[in-house]
């Protein structure tokens, strides 16, 4: 364990082996930091925060601060839970849950770039990449392998599906279905073909995702009709997951399609 002499670490904090804590960082009494993690300078970790092993937290990050919720009661017991092997670069902010015994959760292997804000009760899965200055409102859900472009903003309760990618500078108040390329305001433009290949999805899965995309967006059927027809088709888990996501997009709705049906479809 290597703690800089200017760091303030509460005696109640649980610090694992081979943890480094940089100058002027403040670690609260309820913090748990797993082994081999690096906490750089001027980091604040306050409240009930559990951080797994092998994490990197950059200069000036704040983890566990109270949520930006005007109705929040400071006596509420809530937390932040972060898994293993994540990178949170400079000035990231992760706020704790806003309701009793709730948590903001970040899984494992994620990369959050400079200035990312993860609001209260958000859930980030595994191996997601969130680029600079993305803003996640409360209760946003980011599924495994998603890639959020720089400066994107996400309204409360929005979900971003597995292996979806969003173009930088976009804004979303509706759900982004899995495997999609999304951009602008609540719009998808096609399939994230590069992401599917990098994730080693089989050619059959990719073909079925293409068929699912066309059925939902370009067949002329409404959403209910497309979901009913999909239920009769022999889709594998990836395409079924696509329609399960769409079927559950009731709170915010999901992004509409704009573009040529043949664009971005070569998979």
């Amino acid at each position: 364990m290597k703690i800089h002499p200017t760091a303030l670490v509460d005696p109640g904090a649980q610090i694992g082996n081979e943890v480094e804590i940089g100058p002027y960082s403040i670690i609260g009494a309820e913090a748990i930091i797993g082994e081999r993690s690096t906490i750089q300078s001027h980091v604040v970790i306050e409240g009930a925060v559990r951080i797994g092993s092998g994490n990197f937290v950059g200069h000036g990050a704040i983890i566990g601060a109270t949520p930006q919720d005007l109705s929040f009661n400071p006596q509420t017991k809530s937390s932040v839970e972060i898994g293993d092997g994540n990178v949170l670069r400079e000035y990231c902010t992760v706020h704790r849950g806003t309701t009793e015994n709730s948590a903001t959760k970040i899984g494992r292997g994620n990369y959050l770039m400079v200035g990312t804000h993860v609001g209260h009760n958000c859930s980030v899965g595994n191996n997601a990449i969130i680029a600079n200055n993305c803003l996640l409102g409360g209760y946003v859900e980011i599924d495994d392998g998603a890639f959020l472009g720089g400066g994107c903003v996400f309204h409360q309760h929005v979900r971003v599906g597995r292996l979806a990618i969003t173009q930088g500078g976009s804004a979303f108040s509706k759900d982004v279905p899995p495997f999609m390329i999304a951009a602008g305001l609540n719009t998808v433009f096609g399939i994230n073909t590069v992401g599917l290949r990098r994730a080693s999805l089989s050619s059959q899965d990719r073909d079925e995702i293409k068929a699912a995309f066309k059925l939902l967006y370009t067949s002329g059927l409404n959403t209910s009709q497309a979901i009913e027809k999909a239920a009769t088709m022999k889709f594998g888990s990836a395409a079924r997951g696509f329609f399960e996501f769409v079927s559950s997009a009731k709170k915010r709705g999901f992004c509409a399609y704009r573009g040529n049906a043949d664009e971005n479809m070569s998979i």
Side-chain angles (χ1 to χ4, degrees):
M1 188 165 23
K2 183 180 178 181
I3 300 176
H4 194 275
T6 62
L8 299 178
V9 180
D10 191 284
Q14 299 180 42
I15 311 297
N17 294 327
E18 301 180 53
V19 169
E20 296 186 16
I21 299 176
Y24 302 104
S25 287
I26 301 173
I27 312 299
E30 297 180 85
I32 301 173
I33 301 175
E35 60 186 9
R36 303 185 312 281
S37 292
T38 296
I39 311 298
Q40 291 195 304
S41 69
H42 298 89
V43 172
V44 177
I45 299 176
E46 61 179 80
V49 175
R50 179 187 294 270
I51 298 175
S53 63
N55 289 283
F56 177 94
V57 180
H59 304 292
I62 300 175
I63 302 175
T66 56
Q68 296 175 132
D69 180 346
L70 296 179
S71 65
F72 179 71
N73 181 348
Q75 304 305 313
T76 298
K77 296 184 183 300
S78 58
S79 62
V80 171
E81 299 175 7
I82 298 176
D84 300 334
N86 298 285
V87 174
L88 283 70
R89 290 295 301 269
E90 300 90 316
Y91 308 109
C92 284
T93 53
V94 183
H95 290 173
R96 63 188 177 97
T98 193
T99 56
E100 190 72 18
N101 297 320
S102 69
T104 301
K105 298 181 179 181
I106 297 175
R108 64 180 184 276
N110 298 289
Y111 197 110
L112 279 59
M113 298 185 192
V114 172
T116 295
H117 172 66
V118 182
H120 62 82
N121 301 95
C122 285
S123 174
V124 179
N126 304 316
N127 303 310
I129 297 175
I130 304 179
N132 301 57
N133 300 316
C134 280
L135 307 178
L136 278 57
Y139 295 96
V140 168
E141 298 179 23
I142 309 298
D143 286 347
D144 295 354
F147 189 117
L148 311 184
C152 286
V153 295
F154 299 85
H155 193 280
Q156 288 188 8
H157 297 282
V158 159
R159 301 180 302 153
V160 178
R162 180 165 75 103
L163 295 174
I165 184 170
T166 65
Q167 184 183 63
S170 300
F172 299 95
S173 59
K174 295 183 181 296
D175 294 350
V176 180
F179 318 123
M180 296 293 99
I181 297 171
L185 179 62
N186 296 326
T187 303
V188 299
F189 285 87
I191 297 171
N192 180 16
T193 57
V194 174
L196 300 188
R197 289 182 181 275
R198 287 178 175 171
S200 300
L201 268 72
S202 69
S203 59
Q204 180 175 338
D205 279 337
R206 299 198 306 271
D207 286 343
E208 290 179 358
I209 290 167
K210 179 177 178 179
F213 175 92
K214 288 186 172 182
L215 179 58
L216 179 66
Y217 283 116
T218 67
S219 67
L221 300 176
N222 64 34
T223 300
S224 296
Q225 291 168 335
I227 291 171
E228 288 177 6
K229 184 170 182 180
T232 69
M233 301 176 71
K234 294 182 178 179
F235 281 143
S237 61
R240 285 202 310 272
F242 175 84
F243 275 105
E244 287 168 1
F245 184 100
V246 169
S247 299
S248 63
K250 296 175 181 178
K251 191 172 188 68
R252 305 300 314 176
F254 61 90
C255 291
Y257 172 62
R258 298 287 184 273
N260 186 320
D262 294 323
E263 292 177 352
N264 304 308
M265 298 290 285
S266 177
I267 59 176

